Amino acid sequence: MFAGIGLSRVAGLVRERAIAYFLGTSGSVDAFRVAFRVPNLLQNLLGEGVLSASFIPGYSRLLAENRDEDAGRMAGAVAGLLGIVAGLSVLAGVLLAEPLTALLAPGWRGAGDPRFDQAVTMMRVLFPAVGLLVLSAWCLGVLNSHRRFFLSYVAPVVWNAAQVSALIAAGLWGLGIEELALALAWGVLAGSALQLLIQLPSVMRLIGELRLSADVSFPPVRQAVRAFFPVVAGRGVIQLMTFVEIMLASFLAVGAVAMLGYAQQLYILPISLFGMSVAAAELPELSTTSHHARGALAERLRAGMARIAFFVAPTVLAYLVLGPLIVGALYRTGQFGPEDTIAVWLVLAAFSVGLVASTSSRLLQSALYAANHAAAPAKVAAVRVLVAAGIGAALMLPLDRVEVVDGGLALVGEEPSVCAVVDDGPVECPRLGAVGLALGAGVSAWLEYALLRRAVRRRLGVLVRAGGGRMMRTLAAVAVATLVAVPAAAWLPGHPLVAGPLACLGTGVAYLLAAERLGLRELPALGSLARLFRPSDDGGDSR
């Protein structure tokens, strides 16, 4: 599963680099991010998250009890119900694209911003992709329940490849920035179809004869439907935070929504690689573990949290210290300039404040979902949204008076500085209003984590200890890696495309070596890596 998620995320970064090359932080990227937000909301509500909480637990139990026929019946009913709901949602989204865009970006419509009409057009293209992505998520649920993780998580590679191909083709055709953004939207639709088609053959082999229905009288289906609504509420509240971010960002300077999107791609990467992979792998096991066996449950959660911290803690270090090199290596190309690099790094650094908490929270949510306590994460998420919105709203306007110009920060004068000139006219230097929104999200993530720990303790009787010896050793290894990261960020010369990978490699090797010496053997090959740098017994270099 880790390999599948890794490949899909790498493909996602390639897609983002292509967007940066052709579109930079232009208003067309703002419009695309807004247009995709509502369809993406439905994908998350009806797709992977809800299926993980309401479908996989029941389906996994039926498989564990060797009730294959009942499992197939449940899969067919859930697929039928999802198809109906997704189809109606797509129809409504296409018809209501204009009022939905006005709701999501109120700052654009009132100002007569051309980004508004762009977003409406692209939203009508993107909504049909939702139905395909929801059914693709149903495939993921079936494959995960059968412990077939790789295909379901590598399938998004073709989704990303379709978007990159659409951008390249439109660029070679000589289209302008607005037309390029529309081509990207069509690439999303084509990729969604391919992502579903690549999974269907394997799913059909596992299920056998698929009988679609909308039968909610079958007890496992009825239980999944009952779990569906509180999980929708929980996921909806979490997604509401991204809605609030975009709504607030629509009142900021051009490029704020684009910068949030670029930074979120990197922010979500470790959450997907480590938080989601550990949580997804543990969910079937947690669902079949008796919750009266508190000792076993606590040990699974503690081990999962330790694995997450081992990988995410050095990622936070890299984003904070090596951020300009990382962002520059991935995005600095074409329309994406050095000022954009600094601005996106600062947004990423603000998000990273809560990265460990956000990643760990995924595992705690899975524990509550597996025990049929789906309402608890929803309540916690509501509190997080309120706190994030309050902090972001308070910080964004003061920070939007600060711009990145000539490699440094300056207050915006009477006339904003111009950093580039393109076919569509001058491009103003990026401002930092989005940093305030990102700080709100980062700080509120720790509140969510604390409240989820309390919910697990109260409802499951399990105390999840976040500290302990393993955590202290992880922090010690991060401290050692910092001694490499700081001079690497300051002294490595050349384009970030060269300096960035070198700095990350050196920092990563230092962290792994320190972790091995401290007894943190989370990677099977860690001992072999350390032996490459350890003198042999005869005084020579080991080979």
Side-chain angles (χ1 to χ4, degrees):
M1 175 184 11
F2 181 86
I5 293 178
L7 288 173
S8 68
R9 288 302 170 181
V10 169
L13 292 176
V14 172
R15 178 199 71 221
E16 290 299 306
R17 183 172 177 83
I19 294 174
Y21 177 83
F22 286 105
L23 302 173
T25 57
S26 64
S28 293
V29 181
D30 287 347
F32 175 78
R33 304 287 191 200
V34 166
F36 194 48
R37 181 53 56 193
V38 177
N40 185 245
L41 166 68
L42 292 175
Q43 175 195 350
N44 283 297
L45 293 185
L46 302 178
E48 179 181 340
V50 171
L51 288 170
S52 296
S54 61
F55 172 51
I56 291 179
Y59 188 73
S60 298
R61 292 189 192 102
L62 293 176
L63 293 176
E65 296 167 2
N66 295 318
R67 297 168 59 186
D68 292 351
E69 184 175 346
D70 288 340
R73 180 180 175 185
M74 180 182 185
V78 170
L81 291 169
L82 279 175
I84 293 172
V85 175
L88 293 175
S89 300
V90 169
L91 179 60
V94 171
L95 295 176
L96 301 175
E98 185 169 343
L100 286 173
T101 303
L103 177 66
L104 193 55
W108 294 356
R109 187 171 193 175
D113 198 306
R115 290 175 292 177
F116 180 83
D117 291 333
Q118 281 185 265
V120 170
T121 300
M122 285 190 281
M123 189 178 290
R124 289 182 175 135
V125 176
L126 291 167
F127 250 106
V130 172
L132 298 170
L133 290 174
V134 167
L135 293 177
S136 177
W138 170 82
C139 293
L140 179 145
V142 172
L143 292 169
N144 280 8
S145 298
H146 287 271
R147 275 61 169 181
R148 307 291 178 85
F149 296 109
F150 180 76
L151 178 60
S152 58
Y153 284 103
V154 81
V157 170
V158 299
W159 184 73
N160 290 300
Q163 295 173 62
V164 173
S165 300
L167 277 174
I168 293 175
L172 293 174
W173 195 261
L175 300 181
I177 287 182
E178 291 188 16
E179 290 79 9
L180 282 166
L182 183 58
L184 176 63
W186 282 106
V188 172
L189 179 57
S192 301
L194 292 173
Q195 183 174 330
L196 173 62
L197 292 175
I198 200 174
Q199 295 179 86
L200 271 179
S202 296
V203 170
M204 298 306 296
R205 283 195 297 269
L206 292 171
I207 292 179
E209 184 180 359
L210 176 63
R211 297 180 179 178
L212 294 175
S213 72
D215 181 14
V216 295
S217 63
F218 187 42
V221 177
R222 191 163 58 247
Q223 183 177 3
V225 171
R226 281 200 301 267
F228 176 86
F229 292 102
V231 174
V232 164
R235 293 283 175 174
V237 171
I238 288 292
Q239 292 297 313
L240 180 60
M241 185 164 65
T242 64
F243 269 67
V244 172
E245 285 178 357
I246 288 182
M247 290 173 68
L248 294 173
S250 72
F251 293 96
L252 300 176
V254 173
V257 178
M259 289 188 291
L260 284 170
Y262 287 124
Q264 282 172 344
Q265 290 300 317
L266 287 167
Y267 170 69
I268 292 171
L269 181 62
I271 296 177
S272 300
L273 284 176
F274 310 124
M276 286 181 61
S277 61
V278 172
E282 291 292 336
L283 181 59
E285 306 301 330
L286 292 170
S287 301
T288 55
T289 298
S290 171
H291 290 279
H292 298 291
R294 294 179 179 176
L297 180 59
E299 181 55 35
R300 293 201 75 93
L301 290 176
R302 279 195 291 268
M305 299 281 277
R307 288 199 304 274
I308 289 171
F310 178 82
F311 291 106
V312 176
T315 305
V316 174
L317 167 66
Y319 285 171
L320 292 177
V321 178
L322 305 177
L325 295 178
I326 294 172
V327 173
L330 291 171
Y331 298 140
R332 188 171 161 184
T333 178
Q335 301 292 338
F336 197 98
E339 287 81 9
D340 299 318
T341 298
I342 296 174
V344 171
W345 164 54
L346 293 174
V347 176
L348 175 62
F351 274 128
S352 298
V353 168
L355 186 54
V356 173
S358 290
T359 312
S360 301
S361 294
R362 295 300 181 102
L363 182 60
L364 299 178
Q365 290 169 354
S366 288
L368 291 167
Y369 290 150
N372 295 320
H373 291 295
K379 296 176 182 178
V380 171
V383 175
R384 180 185 178 184
V385 168
L386 291 175
V387 172
I391 296 174
L395 295 177
M396 69 174 195
L397 291 178
L399 287 174
D400 209 43
R401 297 298 303 165
V402 180
E403 63 181 1
V404 182
V405 57
D406 295 330
L409 304 181
L411 291 177
V412 178
E414 295 184 4
E415 292 293 332
S417 302
V418 174
C419 281
V421 178
V422 297
D423 293 340
D424 294 348
V427 178
E428 295 181 0
C429 292
R431 303 189 200 177
L432 300 184
V435 174
L437 298 175
L439 275 174
V443 172
S444 64
W446 285 104
L447 176 62
E448 179 188 37
Y449 170 71
L451 293 177
L452 285 172
R453 282 186 64 199
R454 187 175 69 173
V456 168
R457 183 177 70 249
R458 288 184 173 181
R459 289 167 172 78
L460 305 184
V462 173
L463 178 60
V464 181
R465 298 186 181 275
R470 294 177 73 177
M471 181 62 71
M472 294 305 296
R473 284 178 285 166
T474 298
L475 293 177
V478 170
V480 172
T482 304
L483 299 176
V484 175
V486 171
W491 297 335
L492 277 177
H495 192 280
L497 192 58
V498 176
L502 288 176
C504 290
L505 178 62
T507 302
V509 169
Y511 174 74
L512 293 177
L513 290 174
E516 196 275 337
R517 296 296 293 176
L518 291 167
L520 294 169
R521 297 178 176 86
E522 298 291 341
L523 290 177
L526 197 52
S528 300
L529 174 64
R531 285 193 292 273
L532 292 175
F533 295 87
R534 185 183 302 161
S536 61
D537 294 337
D538 61 3
D541 293 336
S542 59
R543 296 186 181 273

